[in-house]
């Protein structure tokens, strides 16, 4: 039986090729994902570990939450603590570390890198061991800086050049005195690192005389643990915390691995989808192979082969196919992993250098996935093959699906589909995240139920295409009949495409609806023409608002300033606004009272009011940052959203209590509305600052929606893999169907159907099957998009369903194109059959 199974594999090489390709693509995606994420993780971890080479023990502050009415205070790392750290017996040196956001413009005036990855710090003394200089000297004074070598290479800046930059608002134009190398992960990812002398860094980052961290290096022969113990004894335990460099490196490595695990899981989900779709192809292939070998298998039973031996022979074939597919998929996956890493480089997301990581776990996973998926998919056809009675060898007729089995299948499919719909509908009535798990479970049940029902659904849906197919005459009529001749095969072929289009359509509906909701939110809450903020989301200097007030054409302006406070013993953040203009700059729906901010009158959003039991006219006592108390009255309660919420107070009342005031945003209304000229006026008023964004309402909503758009584009790319596998499935089904119907095609040729007619028949059959899968996929995708939207609507009041009709039409055209392309080779093969040999074929 083993030799027979191997001969069958070799005898049907062409038929099994598509199955190998389907499994290979899925395995390649899985192994490529593992190679890519392991390589990036390893490179980042090695780079990060190098960053701690000069740190044996790090001394940091521990946040202390003060009791009473004062807001929590953060201890400071002072010069005295730095001196005490350097004096412990095991310390060779101690460096005070200062860090903060620093935006650097390129030679065109645009911000280099993303806001979150553009950082600044201090260079310690004349020669800082953390940052080896490759050119120039250390910076001295406020007008000198160092830049990292990657930034110098990308921008063309060198020693002696003047650079435009900003820290918290005002534009600075220091001179580059040196270039250094660093293993900083942000720099490796395309960001920048700018270094000042220590005094300048402390001044710019608002940390005069203090440090963010103290890096202590141990003397030769002193372990990190011993140095940590000495520092713990010398420094006040209630103010500082000490951590060894090894622990920092291990924690950083764990953080990097954790952050990469999300990407890895997401990519593996889509690899799983591709494998799931491929499973249909494998099952289809082995089902047809078994059907075509009915006489052979029955003869084997007649000469003494047991049912177990027949099943085993089919599984051996599947094992051989799975091993071949897994090995080729692993090799292709290594190439995919290397390609994805190179692609990151072309997109500007530079990662540290390092070897391609192909771990034993990746190899084992690829082999296990390829072999197991193939054998599981082939098990059911193998079981069916074992049930073929020996008498079938005499008549060459194998048992077809009985009425009882079809009724059982349709009943089961209806029950599973109904359960899936019920669970999805129940999830839409839940709140936010509570409904995510039930909705996912319901979606899986519904997809499985529809898959079970596809043979039943295929007849009426394909029959609906009959009027169009009549246009093509005999070829069209034959294509329709061939499509419904074997409903199970048609269903399995169409289901592969259905799953891919279900996911693509559902994601598209959700993304379009979210974009509309965000646009409505921006339009509903912001009346200002422009919102000014920092590129990385950090606070703005109050100087920004003062500069904007001097710009031409401004009719109303108000900063939004965060102010920490305590209300009822709990920390609350107030939003300081210009009470005289905030009403002109916002358009928030007032639920109670009036939207009036001034003096001791404030407004709060509905959620905050509900949490505290407040309503219009309520009064409460607030303790400001400096400990001063004041009683405030709620003039109105408004409906908040993700853009505007919280307690709004008059800036004039809160500013005197802040030691270091900063603004989160500045809202501006122009006399002539938003225009390119108005935006240019504001940008010039801010000295063309690279760190500051000037956005209109559309820009604000687009920025919020950008991550959804990026995610959607990634999903399109990933789901394309499932569609490619589905195309292979259609090709495979048609090719084997042509082989199975060789005698029939020969008879059609003999009675007058020409080669063009044969080609047209196969192409139309492929088109009908693909459109059947496309219609099911689009229908399910719209339903899931609606259901997910109902769930999101509980946390996003402006959400409404938006059906992207143009894209839905494109998806159906894509399904049709799949059918046309998939039929090219099978149609050509069918047309080239020798009619006399085909008529004699069994």
């Amino acid at each position: 039986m083993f030799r027979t199974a191997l001969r069958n594999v070799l005898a049907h090489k062409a038929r099994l090729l598509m199955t190998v390709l389907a499994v290979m693509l899925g395995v390649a995606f899985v192994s490529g994902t593992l190679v890519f994420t392991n390589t990036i993780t390893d490179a980042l971890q090695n780079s990060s570990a190098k960053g701690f080479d000069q740190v044996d023990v790090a001394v940091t502050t521990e946040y202390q939450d003060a009791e009473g009415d004062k807001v929590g205070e953060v201890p400071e790392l002072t010069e005295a603590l730095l001196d005490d750290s350097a004096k412990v017996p095991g310390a060779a040196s101690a460096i005070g570390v200062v860090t903060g956001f620093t935006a650097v413009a390129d030679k065109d005036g645009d911000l280099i890198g993303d806001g979150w990855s553009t950082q600044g710090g201090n260079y310690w003394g004349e020669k800082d061991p953390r940052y080896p200089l490759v050119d120039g000297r250390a910076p001295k004074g406020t007008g000198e800086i160092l830049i990292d070598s990657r930034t110098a290479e990308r921008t063309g800046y060198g020693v002696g050049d003047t650079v435009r930059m900003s820290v918290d608002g005002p534009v600075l134009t220091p001179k580059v005195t040196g270039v250094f190398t660093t293993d900083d992960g942000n720099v490796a990812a395309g960001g920048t690192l700018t270094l000042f002398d220590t005094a300048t860094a402390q001044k710019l980052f608002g940390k005069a005389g203090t440090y963010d961290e103290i890096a202590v290096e141990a003397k030769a022969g002193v372990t990190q643990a011993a140095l940590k113990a000495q520092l713990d004894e010398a420094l006040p335990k209630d103010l500082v915390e000490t951590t060894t460099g090894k622990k920092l490196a291990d924690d950083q490595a764990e953080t990097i691995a954790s952050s990469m695990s999300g990407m890895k899981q997401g990519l593996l989900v889509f690899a799983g989808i591709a494998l799931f779709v491929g499973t249909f192809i494998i099952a289809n292939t082995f089902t047809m192979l078994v059907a075509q070998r009915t006489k052979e298998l029955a003869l084997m039973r007649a000469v003494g082969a047991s049912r177990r031996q027949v099943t085993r022979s089919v599984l051996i074939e599947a094992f051989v196919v799975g091993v071949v597919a897994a090995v080729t998929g692993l090799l292709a996956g290594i190439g995919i992993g290397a390609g994805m890493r190179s692609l990151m480089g072309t997109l500007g997301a530079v990662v540290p250098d390092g070897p391609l990581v192909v771990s034993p776990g990746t190899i084992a996973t690829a082999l296990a996935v390829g072999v197991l998926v193939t054998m599981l998919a082939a098990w059911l056809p193998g079981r069916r093959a074992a049930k073929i009675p020996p008498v079938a060898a005499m008549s060459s007729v194998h048992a077809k699906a009985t009425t009882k089995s079809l009724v059982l299948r349709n009943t089961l499919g209806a029950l599973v589909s109904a359960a899936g719909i019920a669970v999805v509908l129940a999830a839409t009535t839940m709140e936010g995240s509570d409904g995510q798990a039930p909705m996912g479970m319901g979606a899986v049940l519904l997809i499985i139920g529809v898959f079970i029902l596809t043979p039943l659904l295929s007849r009426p849906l394909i029959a609906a295409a009959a009027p169009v197919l009549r246009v093509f005459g005999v070829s069209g009529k034959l294509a329709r009949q061939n499509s419904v001749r074997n409903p199970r095969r048609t269903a399995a072929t169409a289901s592969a495409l259905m799953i891919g289009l279900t996911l693509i359509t559902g994601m598209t509906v959700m993304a379009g609806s979210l974009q509309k909701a965000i646009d409505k939110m921006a339009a509903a809450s912001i009346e200002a023409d422009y919102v000014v903020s920092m590129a990385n989301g950090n606070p703005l200097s109050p100087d920004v608002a003062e500069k904007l007030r001097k710009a031409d054409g401004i009719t109303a302006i108000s900063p939004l300033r965060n102010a920490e406070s305590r209300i009822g013993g709990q920390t609350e953040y107030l939003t300081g606004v210009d009470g005289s203009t905030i009403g002109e700059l916002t358009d928030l729906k007032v639920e109670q009272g009036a939207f009036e901010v001034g003096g001791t009158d404030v407004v709060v959003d509905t959620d905050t009011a509900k949490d505290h039991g407040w309503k219009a006219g309520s009064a409460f006592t607030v303790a400001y940052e400096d400990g001063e108390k004041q009683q405030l009255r709620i003039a109105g309660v408004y409906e908040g959203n993700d853009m505007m919420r919280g307690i709004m107070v008059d800036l004039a009342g809160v500013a005197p209590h802040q030691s270091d005031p900063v603004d989160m945003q500045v809202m501006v209304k122009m006399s002539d509305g938003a225009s390119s000229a108005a935006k240019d006026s504001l940008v010039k008023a801010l000295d063309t600052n690279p760190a500051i964004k000037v956005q209109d309402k559309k820009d604000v909503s687009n920025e919020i929606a950008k991550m959804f758009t990026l995610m959607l584009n990634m999903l399109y790319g990933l789901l394309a893999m499932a569609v490619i596998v589905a195309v292979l499935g259609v090709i495979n089904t048609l090719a084997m169907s042509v082989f199975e119907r060789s005698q029939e095609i020969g008879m059609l040729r003999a009675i007058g159907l020409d080669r063009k007619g044969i080609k047209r028949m196969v192409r139309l059959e492929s088109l009908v099957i693909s459109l059947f899968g496309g219609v099911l996929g689009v229908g399910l995708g719209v339903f899931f998009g609606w259901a997910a939207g109902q769930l999101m609507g509980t946390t996003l009041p402006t959400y409404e369903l938006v059906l992207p009709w143009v894209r839905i039409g494109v998806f159906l055209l894509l399904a049709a194109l799949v059918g046309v392309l998939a039929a090219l080779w099978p149609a050509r093969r069918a047309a080239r059959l020798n009619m006399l040999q085909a008529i004699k074929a069994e």
Side-chain angles (χ1 to χ4, degrees):
M1 293 301 295
F2 179 75
R3 289 196 300 270
T4 302
L6 290 180
R7 286 197 188 103
N8 280 325
V9 172
L10 296 174
H12 302 127
K13 293 187 289 289
R15 299 187 220 171
L16 292 171
L17 177 62
M18 295 299 173
T19 302
V20 171
L21 284 174
V23 181
M24 185 199 76
L25 282 172
V27 172
F29 206 163
V30 171
S31 54
T33 294
L34 294 174
V35 169
F36 170 68
T37 52
N38 288 344
T39 298
I40 299 299
T41 301
D42 185 69
L44 289 174
Q45 287 177 345
N46 289 340
S47 174
S48 173
K50 290 178 185 176
F52 295 106
D53 286 347
Q54 305 297 328
V55 182
D56 287 313
V57 178
V59 180
T60 56
T61 57
E62 190 171 2
Y63 184 86
Q64 302 293 319
D65 194 11
E67 297 180 356
D69 291 331
K70 273 201 170 186
V71 176
E73 295 179 351
V74 182
E76 296 179 333
L77 293 177
T78 61
E79 289 286 349
L81 287 173
L82 176 63
D83 292 340
D84 291 342
S85 301
K87 290 176 182 176
V88 298
S93 65
I95 294 175
V97 180
V98 185
T99 58
F101 168 67
T102 303
V104 180
D106 59 21
K107 292 186 177 182
D108 294 325
D110 298 322
L111 176 68
I112 304 170
D114 295 318
W116 58 268
S117 62
T118 53
Q119 297 296 312
N122 67 310
Y123 190 83
W124 190 257
E126 293 295 324
K127 189 175 181 181
D128 192 327
R130 300 172 299 166
Y131 307 113
L133 287 173
V134 293
D135 191 15
R137 59 170 177 80
K140 296 176 182 178
T142 57
E144 296 183 350
I145 60 168
L146 299 180
I147 60 172
D148 65 87
S149 56
R150 287 180 185 264
T151 298
E153 184 180 346
R154 288 197 304 266
T155 61
Y157 285 136
V159 174
D161 289 338
T162 298
V163 176
R164 290 180 63 82
M165 54 164 288
S166 176
V167 172
D168 63 352
V171 174
L172 305 173
T173 54
K175 182 185 291 186
V176 177
T177 64
V179 178
F180 64 93
T181 58
T182 177
D183 292 311
D184 186 282
N186 284 333
V187 174
T192 62
L193 180 60
T194 308
L195 301 180
F196 311 87
D197 66 42
T198 300
T200 301
Q202 289 175 322
K203 178 183 176 183
L204 290 174
F205 301 139
K207 299 162 185 173
T210 64
Y211 304 96
D212 294 303
E213 181 184 302
I214 296 173
V216 186
E217 187 177 3
K219 289 180 179 177
V222 179
T223 64
Q224 292 185 352
L227 178 59
K228 180 181 184 302
Q230 293 176 10
L231 288 166
D232 285 339
E233 186 176 344
L235 303 177
K237 293 185 177 64
D238 58 336
L239 293 180
V240 301
E241 184 177 6
T242 58
T243 312
T244 63
K246 183 179 184 307
K247 178 71 164 56
L248 289 172
D250 291 344
D251 289 348
Q252 185 72 7
E254 187 177 338
T255 301
I256 291 169
S258 177
S259 64
M260 291 299 295
S261 69
M263 178 189 292
K264 181 185 292 186
Q265 289 170 7
L267 291 171
L268 287 175
V269 164
F270 291 98
I273 292 169
L275 281 171
F276 184 58
V277 172
T279 302
F280 293 122
I281 300 172
I282 301 164
N284 234 8
T285 301
F286 279 94
T287 297
M288 286 188 282
L289 284 174
V290 167
Q292 291 168 12
R293 286 161 45 203
T294 300
K295 187 173 181 179
E296 174 191 327
L297 293 173
L299 280 170
M300 290 171 63
R301 290 289 315 282
V303 297
S306 67
R307 289 187 173 185
R308 184 174 295 178
Q309 285 178 311
V310 170
T311 302
R312 194 182 301 146
S313 71
V314 176
L315 290 178
I316 289 170
E317 289 182 49
F319 176 78
V320 174
V321 171
V323 169
V324 172
V327 171
T328 53
L330 173 62
L331 296 175
I334 294 171
I336 288 173
M340 289 175 72
R341 176 174 173 169
S342 299
L343 181 63
M344 287 187 71
T346 61
L347 294 175
V350 184
V351 294
D353 295 329
L356 201 65
V357 179
V358 184
S359 67
T362 298
I363 297 172
T365 301
L367 293 174
V369 166
V371 173
L372 288 177
V373 167
T374 308
M375 292 188 70
L376 285 173
W379 176 77
L380 187 58
R383 188 168 170 270
R384 285 182 189 152
K387 290 184 177 181
I388 297 174
V391 72
M394 310 302 174
S395 60
S396 297
V397 176
H398 58 278
K400 295 185 178 180
T402 62
T403 303
K404 180 180 177 182
S405 69
L406 291 174
V407 170
L408 181 63
R409 175 173 181 144
N410 293 338
T411 303
L412 178 63
L415 290 173
V416 174
S417 298
I421 293 172
V423 173
V424 169
L425 292 177
T428 61
T429 64
M430 299 179 182
E431 292 288 331
S433 59
D434 294 340
Q436 290 178 2
M439 183 163 291
M441 183 177 69
V444 171
L445 285 174
L446 181 53
I447 289 176
I448 293 172
V450 171
F451 167 66
I452 297 172
L453 284 175
T454 40
L456 178 66
L457 296 173
S458 64
R459 290 186 177 275
L461 287 178
I462 291 176
V468 178
L469 293 175
R470 286 196 194 100
V471 175
F472 299 95
V474 175
S475 297
K477 183 178 180 180
L478 290 171
R480 184 182 65 80
Q481 291 174 348
N482 289 335
S483 301
V484 296
R485 176 186 295 182
N486 191 330
R488 291 191 180 194
R489 184 191 302 166
T490 297
T493 306
S495 294
L497 190 59
M498 177 193 78
I499 293 170
L501 284 180
T502 295
L503 294 168
I504 290 174
T505 305
M507 294 294 180
T508 302
V509 170
M510 288 170 57
S513 301
L514 277 171
Q515 178 69 66
K516 180 75 172 179
I518 293 166
D519 288 345
K520 283 180 66 178
M521 186 192 300
S525 59
I526 301 175
E527 194 66 26
D529 293 314
Y530 291 101
V531 176
V532 180
S533 60
M534 290 291 279
N536 68 334
N538 272 10
L540 287 163
S541 165
D543 293 344
V544 172
E546 295 306 313
K547 284 188 176 184
L548 287 171
R549 291 182 194 278
K550 299 173 184 176
D552 296 331
I554 291 180
T555 57
I557 182 171
S558 174
L560 272 63
R561 180 173 301 176
N562 265 9
E564 200 174 0
S565 70
R566 292 185 79 87
I567 300 172
Q570 299 294 323
T571 299
E572 289 274 4
Y573 284 90
L574 310 175
T575 302
V577 298
D578 188 328
S580 63
T581 60
I582 191 64
E584 300 176 54
L585 298 167
T586 58
D587 187 20
L588 297 165
K589 183 180 178 182
V590 180
E591 299 286 344
Q592 300 176 30
F595 196 87
E596 295 176 358
V597 180
T600 58
D601 286 345
V602 303
V603 293
V604 300
D605 69 288
T606 49
D607 289 341
T608 303
K610 183 179 179 181
D611 291 342
H612 289 278
W614 294 336
K615 59 183 179 180
S618 297
F620 62 92
T621 300
V622 60
Y624 292 112
E625 189 178 309
D626 60 357
E628 292 290 327
K629 297 181 181 179
Q630 186 179 27
Q631 190 173 57
L632 303 176
R633 187 186 76 88
I634 298 173
V637 178
Y638 66 92
E639 187 179 291
N641 55 49
D642 288 342
M643 293 185 178
M644 305 286 290
R645 64 174 61 203
I647 305 170
M648 292 190 193
V649 302
D650 192 9
L651 197 58
V654 73
H657 304 288
Q658 292 185 290
S659 59
D660 186 22
V662 289
D663 299 329
M664 296 308 296
Q665 295 178 339
V666 179
M667 303 177 76
V668 180
K669 192 170 182 63
M670 309 295 290
S671 56
D672 297 326
S675 66
S676 57
K679 185 173 183 177
D680 288 343
S681 172
L682 297 179
V683 170
K684 288 178 181 177
L686 295 171
D687 301 322
T688 316
N689 194 319
I692 299 177
K693 298 182 296 186
V694 179
Q695 299 174 299
D696 60 20
K697 283 187 280 191
K698 188 65 179 174
D699 293 334
V700 171
S701 62
N702 285 344
E703 184 175 49
I704 297 172
K706 185 166 62 175
M707 62 177 177
F708 299 113
T709 305
L710 178 63
M711 187 185 303
L712 184 66
N713 290 335
M714 288 179 63
L715 293 178
Y716 282 161
L718 294 170
L719 289 171
M721 181 69 75
V723 174
I724 291 171
V725 175
V727 173
L728 292 175
V730 179
I731 295 173
N732 207 20
T733 299
L734 288 172
M736 298 189 75
S737 180
V738 166
F739 177 84
E740 189 179 79
R741 302 195 324 249
S742 294
Q743 190 177 58
E744 175 189 319
I745 291 170
M747 289 295 295
L748 289 171
R749 289 290 317 282
I751 61 176
L753 191 62
D754 60 10
R755 288 186 173 182
K756 286 185 178 179
I758 295 292
K759 284 184 178 180
R760 191 180 303 118
M761 176 188 73
V762 176
R763 288 171 184 164
L764 289 173
E765 181 182 347
S766 174
L767 184 64
V768 167
I769 292 173
S770 297
L771 282 175
F772 170 53
V775 169
L776 285 180
V778 167
L780 284 173
V782 169
F783 175 71
F784 290 141
W786 167 82
Q790 293 295 109
L791 192 61
M792 287 188 288
T794 59
T795 56
L796 195 61
T798 55
Y799 185 91
E800 67 177 57
L801 180 66
V802 176
L803 292 178
W805 295 110
V806 174
R807 290 200 179 188
I808 287 175
V810 170
F811 296 154
L812 289 175
L813 285 174
L814 175 65
L817 182 63
V818 165
V820 171
L821 294 176
L824 291 177
W825 178 64
R828 187 166 175 268
R829 186 171 182 269
R832 288 191 167 193
L833 283 176
N834 183 293
M835 68 177 76
L836 294 179
Q837 290 180 356
I839 291 171
K840 290 190 296 181
E842 293 186 3

